[in-house]
Amino acid sequence: MNVVFPQRRSQAWTLANCLTYGRLVAVPVLVALLFWPEEHSARFAALGVFIAAGITDYLDGYVARTYAQTSALGRMLDPIADKLLVAACLLMLVADHTIGGVSVWAAIVILCREVLVSGLREYLAELKVGVPVSKVAKYKTTLQIMALGFLVAGPAGETILPGTVTIGLVLLWIAAALTLYTGWDYMRAGIRHVIDEP
């Protein structure tokens, strides 16, 4: 008599992971739309994609926790998707001069912090040391996403809400200031573990 065991569903195709895949797919779509920065329809479409990606960022974590769909793959891909989305947006917005002048430094600070934290997390993971996300880091992320939303809308957004770009740039600078603070916080924690390592 043959015993038939139920097939185990692949962890790669849980709803939480599929939402993360969607955010990864959104990155090249967003970049393609921002290749036409003067086209208002392209700007609004890019904003729609960006908002949808932001919603999946919240939903994938919620779904993973609520329905016990956490996985190693999801933990790896989630921060990668977030960083790719932010980096791609910043680079395209600098390229089309939505972010220009001295505000480019705010973008540089944010990008450098992302590289720094990624490197620290990778190193500390080898030491089996976790890096918890602080409340300030969560505020930073929220402000950063809001800033990018306004800036992605850019000139198209100005037709609906005058001052859209200015609001985005102000929020970007506040996010950059919080980025410096949280980046130093992570760096200090990393250095402490390096010094204390036997």
Side-chain angles (χ1 to χ4, degrees):
M1 179 178 177
N2 293 328
V3 179
V4 179
F5 294 99
Q7 280 191 327
R8 188 183 173 190
R9 189 178 174 186
S10 171
Q11 286 294 308
W13 296 106
T14 61
L15 177 57
N17 283 344
C18 287
L19 289 169
T20 303
Y21 302 151
R23 198 153 72 260
L24 287 168
V25 171
V27 175
V29 174
L30 190 62
V31 168
L33 289 168
L34 289 176
F35 262 106
W36 292 276
E38 302 305 320
E39 293 290 333
H40 287 192
S41 58
R43 282 280 192 172
F44 283 128
L47 178 61
V49 171
F50 184 79
I51 291 171
I55 292 171
T56 66
D57 187 22
Y58 167 76
L59 283 179
D60 63 7
Y62 174 79
V63 169
R65 290 188 300 271
T66 305
Y67 299 101
Q69 294 183 3
T70 55
S71 66
L73 180 63
R75 286 192 296 272
M76 179 189 74
L77 288 181
D78 186 60
I80 291 173
D82 293 344
K83 287 172 174 53
L84 285 176
L85 186 67
V86 169
C89 278
L90 286 173
L91 290 172
M92 293 304 294
L93 292 169
V94 169
D96 69 20
H97 304 294
T98 302
I99 300 174
V102 71
S103 293
V104 172
W105 283 104
I108 291 171
V109 165
I110 290 170
L111 282 175
C112 288
R113 185 264 189 191
E114 298 297 348
V115 174
L116 168 70
V117 171
S118 294
L120 277 173
R121 284 184 185 278
E122 184 177 342
Y123 173 75
L124 293 175
E126 293 177 4
L127 302 179
K128 308 297 183 194
V129 176
V131 183
V133 178
S134 66
K135 281 189 177 180
V136 177
K138 290 179 180 178
Y139 297 147
K140 181 273 302 178
T141 300
T142 301
L143 283 172
Q144 190 172 276
I145 295 300
M146 289 174 61
L148 289 175
F150 279 103
L151 294 171
V152 166
E158 295 281 352
T159 62
I160 297 172
L161 177 64
T164 292
V165 174
T166 302
I167 293 170
L169 291 174
V170 169
L171 290 174
L172 189 72
W173 273 109
I174 296 172
L178 292 178
T179 290
L180 284 173
Y181 175 80
T182 57
W184 167 246
D185 216 24
Y186 284 125
M187 189 68 179
R188 186 175 55 188
I191 290 172
R192 186 172 67 249
H193 284 292
V194 170
I195 293 173
D196 293 344
E197 186 184 12

